[in-house]
Amino acid sequence: MMSVKRLISLLVTAAFLAQGCTSGGSGKTQQEGEKKAETPGVAAAAPVEVNAEALLLINELEQTGDYVNSREFPSLIKASVVHDEAGAGNHIIDLRPAAEYARGHIQGAVSVAFEALPEYLESKIKPFEFDKVILVCASGQVSSYAASLLRIMGYGNVYALRWGMSSWNRALAEEYWLKGISAAYESRLETSDQPAATPGDLPQLNTGLTTGGEILDRRFRQLMSEGSQVAQITAAEVFADPGKYYIINFERKDKYESGHIPGAVRYKPAGTLGILPEMETIPHDKPVVVYCGTGHNSAFATAYLRLFGWDAKTLVYGNNAFMHDKMINDRASLSWLPFTQEEIHDYPLAK
């Protein structure tokens, strides 16, 4: 059987010859994307034309490791591990504003602004001389987004601190995660399945570049320069008018069916990113909100979607931000990961 990479390469070549390509046989298979079986007697949907730059980027990412479908995705690390490995060859980068860093940070951590990360990694240090490069922020939302972009760019030893500095020190948890958890919208959850949108082309990147490597580098630098706030959204904003967004529930099926944001469509965490038949069903005529239990996994996924041009936003704190009590009650049966006191350590802060 022809390999996926070989198949995509052939399709990319055809795209340039024909000024367009269909996705019927490109990318990973429908089965890998957990697509539903065809209904007898119903005509198959017409093939979707996928623009050449998107195909080049898909091909580039698969050839360079297909990070989003690897066992390393998402690349998170616990505070206890960071604490126990102190002085063991790791490098910690604190992405919080300089004033917050000055109030207290992990011993040995350096302060680097999100937008300055590319220059710092390219000219200030040699990242691969460290065992791990660990990104930290207040809650783990920004560091997860940044870690995803860096991993996609080939920085294979980058990790985001799970729960951020809220898991490192109790005082910081009280400022961030403990204020972020809420059950305010539990009464508005729905349990009915929502169908995905009609397949269409991926966003047009319009870089004018002709190789996947060039497109990847251009998009990466654009995303880093625009900062992290454009890639975040709160539960209050989403519940104020869910219809304004295409909402992606990035969770297991049983968790989705137990209650989700009105209108949310479930996409399989390990069967969506990089799989053209699935990505084609994500529209780009409105903002896309991605959410999971904690906001960590969705931040990693949001980085990938923004790389391809979607106006994607991760819902900060995830389900914890709107159905925390339900997560606590259903923790045993659904393996939820609610933020609780047990996640908080009382490790010292350097000043």
Side-chain angles (χ1 to χ4, degrees):
M1 182 180 292
M2 186 179 295
S3 70
V4 171
K5 293 179 181 178
R6 176 61 176 162
L7 182 55
I8 293 182
S9 297
L10 292 175
L11 286 170
V12 170
T13 302
F16 283 108
L17 294 175
Q19 295 299 310
C21 184
T22 63
S23 64
S26 63
K28 295 181 176 64
T29 65
Q30 267 192 315
Q31 289 74 21
E32 288 177 296
E34 201 189 41
K35 298 294 284 185
K36 295 181 179 179
E38 293 183 5
T39 303
V42 177
V48 174
E49 291 186 354
V50 177
N51 67 83
E53 286 196 15
L55 285 172
L56 283 170
L57 186 52
I58 284 276
N59 190 40
E60 176 70 18
L61 293 176
E62 183 160 312
Q63 290 186 0
T64 55
D66 197 19
Y67 167 65
V68 294
N69 291 301
S70 73
R71 292 183 178 181
E72 295 295 318
F73 182 89
S75 304
L76 297 165
I77 190 169
K78 294 181 178 179
S80 58
V81 175
V82 177
H83 179 266
D84 293 345
E85 292 183 353
N90 295 337
H91 186 62
I92 303 172
I93 300 175
D94 196 318
L95 301 177
R96 295 176 299 157
E100 294 186 24
Y101 169 85
R103 286 170 48 203
H105 53 267
I106 299 174
Q107 182 69 43
V110 298
S111 177
V112 180
F114 178 94
E115 295 83 354
L117 268 176
E119 180 184 0
Y120 181 78
L121 294 173
E122 292 165 2
S123 62
K124 303 298 183 182
I125 63 170
K126 296 180 179 179
F128 295 106
E129 290 185 348
F130 300 100
D131 292 332
K132 298 182 184 74
V133 175
I134 302 166
L135 306 181
V136 305
C137 64
S139 63
Q141 313 293 303
V142 173
S143 57
S144 292
Y145 180 65
S148 183
L149 290 173
L150 293 176
R151 280 276 184 162
I152 289 170
M153 288 300 294
Y155 292 94
N157 60 342
V158 172
Y159 296 84
L161 179 63
R162 183 185 289 277
W163 311 118
M165 292 296 289
S166 295
S167 65
W168 188 267
N169 182 271
R170 182 167 300 279
L172 296 178
E174 291 173 354
E175 288 188 43
Y176 298 103
W177 258 100
L178 291 178
K179 287 185 177 179
I181 58 179
S182 171
Y185 301 102
E186 286 189 2
S187 63
R188 294 180 55 185
L189 301 180
E190 67 176 25
T191 57
S192 58
D193 287 2
Q194 296 293 332
T198 302
D201 190 10
L202 274 58
Q204 294 280 347
L205 296 175
N206 297 320
T207 68
L209 301 172
T210 57
T211 71
E214 291 174 321
I215 295 169
L216 174 59
D217 185 73
R218 173 73 61 83
R219 292 295 301 149
F220 166 72
R221 295 183 188 281
Q222 287 176 340
L223 295 183
M224 294 302 301
S225 66
E226 70 186 20
S228 62
Q229 291 303 308
V230 295
Q232 297 183 5
I233 194 167
T234 66
E237 291 175 288
V238 174
F239 277 91
D241 188 359
K244 287 176 55 178
Y245 312 99
Y246 187 77
I247 304 174
I248 292 177
N249 175 283
F250 206 57
E251 278 286 5
R252 291 189 336 226
K253 186 174 178 61
D254 55 348
K255 291 184 176 182
Y256 171 76
E257 292 177 341
S258 74
H260 51 265
I261 298 174
V265 181
R266 177 187 172 259
Y267 283 77
K268 186 180 178 183
T272 298
L273 305 180
I275 301 173
L276 281 177
E278 294 294 318
M279 293 173 65
E280 288 168 355
T281 66
I282 304 175
H284 46 87
D285 60 349
K286 62 168 65 175
V288 174
V289 173
V290 188
Y291 78 98
C292 64
T294 64
H296 297 326
N297 293 22
S298 60
F300 275 83
T302 293
Y304 186 89
L305 293 177
R306 292 188 71 85
L307 199 68
F308 278 85
W310 274 280
D311 180 17
K313 302 176 186 295
T314 177
L315 197 159
V316 294
Y317 302 116
N319 294 69
N320 276 272
F322 60 87
M323 51 175 282
H324 186 260
D325 289 352
K326 180 174 171 57
M327 294 177 77
I328 295 290
N329 293 334
D330 297 344
R331 186 175 187 176
S333 60
L334 291 175
S335 303
W336 282 117
L337 193 59
F339 186 80
T340 62
Q341 295 287 338
E342 63 193 66
E343 305 293 346
I344 305 171
H345 298 277
D346 201 20
Y347 297 142
L349 295 173
K351 297 184 179 180

